[in-house]
Amino acid sequence: MRYPQLLVYEGDGRLAAQLRPLAEEKRWALREVRQPEACLRLLGRGRPDVLVLKLGRDLERELTFLDRVNWARPATATVVVSDTDHPGLAGLAWDLGAAYVLLPSAPHDSLTEIVGALLGAP
């Protein structure tokens, strides 16, 4: 059996630390990736995938990557997380294929619930 895969693309490891207990409990593969090409190689290998993408300092690069993931791996559910509460940024992330967008106005505690729902956890 191939367990679901959870990839976290961020710079500081905080989101991965938040999701690690759930991934261990559910026996999901949790991988922290820092390079777009490595992330794309890991996605789409015949199992459910969720990518958590943290927007940070290079929005153009990160949003371009979101678009690439949606185009190259359309079955991958992507959750975009940002520390900036900007409605236009959220709208752009939705337009580029994000399944969920979490801004500071939404509690980041819900990230665990969202990822669990996307990977079919009860």
Side-chain angles (χ1 to χ4, degrees), residues 66-114:
L66 173 61
D67 188 39
R68 279 185 70 196
V69 168
N70 188 48
W71 181 81
R73 305 289 190 263
T76 298
T78 306
V79 179
V80 173
V81 180
S82 176
D83 290 331
T84 304
D85 201 0
H86 191 285
L89 182 62
L92 183 56
W94 287 112
D95 290 345
L96 293 173
Y100 284 91
V101 179
L102 288 175
L103 301 177
S105 56
H108 284 203
D109 297 350
S110 61
L111 177 62
T112 305
E113 292 175 24
I114 290 167

Side-chain angles (χ1 to χ4, degrees), residues 1-6 26-29 47-49:
M1 173 191 277
R2 295 182 67 113
Y3 291 102
Q5 178 175 236
L6 174 59
K26 301 295 182 185
R27 299 182 69 189
W28 299 334
R47 61 180 146 202
D49 292 321

Side-chain angles (χ1 to χ4, degrees), residues 32-48:
E32 295 179 66
V33 291
R34 304 277 191 265
Q35 300 298 321
E37 296 307 320
C39 186
L40 285 171
R41 276 192 306 272
L42 289 169
L43 291 172
R45 293 191 172 175
R47 61 180 146 202

